[in-house]
Amino acid sequence: MEGKLPIGIYGKDIILHLIGKIGAAGATYKALEFAGDTIDHLDMAGRMTIANMAVEAGAKVGLFPSDGVTQDWLNRMEGP
């Protein structure tokens, strides 16, 4: 899939699909890196969900590129 996700499909659906393909131990002691056109359109909540649930596949970490979405979120969290 490329681009924005269809209505009703979220980051959790992406990670659950991946876990279904690789299994609950498919990424044991590994890092999962997520990138591409669909990820570029994903909001921070979706990215955080995927990163958090990467451990459900045994991964030690779920990684995303730092981009404009990330920077905007960090700026909002910084406060005045």
Side-chain angles (χ1 to χ4, degrees), residues 54-66:
V55 299
E56 302 297 328
K60 290 294 183 183
V61 66
L63 301 169
F64 289 81
S66 180

Side-chain angles (χ1 to χ4, degrees), residues 68-80:
V69 174
T70 307
Q71 190 60 53
D72 290 345
W73 183 84
L74 288 171
N75 289 339
R76 285 194 315 273
M77 296 301 111
E78 187 176 341

Side-chain angles (χ1 to χ4, degrees), residues 7 10 26 48-49 57 68 78:
I7 293 172
Y10 302 98
M48 288 181 187
T49 298
E78 187 176 341

Side-chain angles (χ1 to χ4, degrees), residues 10-71:
Y10 302 98
K12 188 169 185 178
D13 299 303
I14 294 172
I15 191 67
L16 288 174
H17 179 75
L18 175 65
I19 293 168
K21 287 192 156 292
I22 67 173
T28 301
Y29 296 110
K30 295 181 171 98
L32 293 177
E33 183 175 6
F34 301 91
D37 192 47
T38 299
I39 297 302
D40 292 343
H41 290 91
L42 202 58
D43 63 10
M44 281 305 290
R47 295 174 187 204
M48 288 181 187
T49 298
I50 291 171
N52 187 49
M53 289 188 66
V55 299
E56 302 297 328
K60 290 294 183 183
V61 66
L63 301 169
F64 289 81
S66 180
D67 60 6
V69 174
T70 307
Q71 190 60 53

